[in-house]
Amino acid sequence: MMYPFLTLNDDTEITHSEMKIDGKVKVYIETPDDLGGFHNATCWLPDYKWEDIEGYSETEINYFKQLIRNNAHLIIEFSKEGGILNAAFC
């Protein structure tokens, strides 16, 4: 299951999975494009392993890398709680 984490002004959605048994968390980034499709990328925490990057420029990916690094501690914590909405009410 994927949980919402953040929506940016350009409608980019950042979601994350629950923490897997091996301690990993999938972070998925998706931005709608002008053609009705999406740009997307996946980052696995805590290793910061990036994969399946499609449609983003190097500048955009560098921005997302910094954004994820700055918020990884929150994403990892929320992944243990069933997402930000469940963590907020505990």
Side-chain angles (χ1 to χ4, degrees):
M1 177 168 204
M2 297 299 283
Y3 300 100
F5 177 68
L6 184 64
T7 302
L8 303 178
N9 288 341
D10 66 353
D11 292 326
T12 296
E13 295 283 339
I14 301 175
T15 60
H16 66 85
S17 69
E18 73 282 354
M19 184 172 282
K20 306 297 184 184
I21 294 171
D22 63 2
K24 295 191 186 306
V25 178
K26 179 181 181 179
V27 179
Y28 183 72
I29 302 168
E30 182 177 81
T31 307
D33 66 22
D34 295 335
L35 303 174
F38 293 91
H39 298 180
N40 57 272
T42 300
C43 176
W44 287 93
L45 298 176
D47 299 333
Y48 299 96
K49 179 183 177 210
W50 287 83
E51 61 185 26
D52 301 327
I53 299 170
E54 295 183 30
Y56 292 120
S57 69
E58 186 174 335
T59 301
E60 290 169 318
I61 287 298
N62 287 335
Y63 171 79
F64 292 135
K65 285 180 177 179
Q66 189 65 43
L67 180 69
I68 298 303
R69 276 207 184 272
N70 290 343
N71 290 282
H73 64 289
L74 295 172
I75 295 168
I76 290 170
E77 186 62 33
F78 295 150
S79 75
K80 297 175 189 175
E81 303 291 334
I84 192 171
L85 296 178
N86 286 327
F89 297 109
C90 291

